[in-house]
Amino acid sequence: MLTVMNRIGVKPEFAAQFEESFRNRAGLVDGMPGFIRNEVLRPTREGDPFIVLTYWDNMGAFKAWTESDAFKQGHARSGSLPREAFSGPNVLEVHEVVGQGEQ
């Protein structure tokens, strides 16, 4: 399993709008082969980024998503926030899951 973590710095005055954009997301990724789930994590300390965490079967599935028309459509929709809402560039991290606790 693979996780993709997108760290997104959002200025405090835009945090509620950012969260709302995920509540109302298009959901195009949900039907992609190899997609498992996603989570949006709110920072608990001011100045820390939001984290959008997606889980995938493998790197091929994630790569196919990033090259799909659905990806382009979904990310075009996310342009509802102005550029000044963000405190810096996104940071993308990709990790393989090597251990998993009980659920």
Side-chain angles (χ1 to χ4, degrees):
M1 182 170 33
L2 188 80
T3 65
V4 178
M5 181 183 310
N6 193 357
R7 296 175 180 270
I8 305 172
V10 178
K11 293 179 182 172
E13 61 269 27
F14 290 96
Q17 189 178 350
F18 179 81
E19 290 180 29
E20 189 63 25
S21 72
F22 276 94
R23 282 188 201 94
N24 296 320
R25 68 187 182 85
L28 299 172
V29 69
D30 297 350
M32 292 297 296
F35 174 76
I36 298 171
R37 72 177 189 276
N38 73 337
E39 299 168 346
V40 178
L41 310 178
R42 176 190 303 132
T44 58
R45 293 185 313 189
E46 191 172 323
D48 282 353
F50 276 85
I51 295 175
V52 178
L53 186 60
T54 56
Y55 295 81
W56 298 88
D57 283 337
N58 55 56
M59 180 60 91
F62 171 66
K63 189 168 172 55
W65 158 244
T66 64
E67 296 171 352
S68 72
D69 286 338
F71 177 87
K72 292 176 189 121
Q73 292 170 16
H75 285 80
R77 230 182 138 255
S78 66
S80 61
L81 287 172
R83 182 175 216 108
E84 61 269 11
F86 304 98
S87 58
N90 296 2
V91 176
L92 197 68
E93 297 180 21
V94 179
H95 299 91
E96 287 186 19
V97 176
V98 295
Q100 193 170 339
E102 291 184 39
Q103 296 188 34

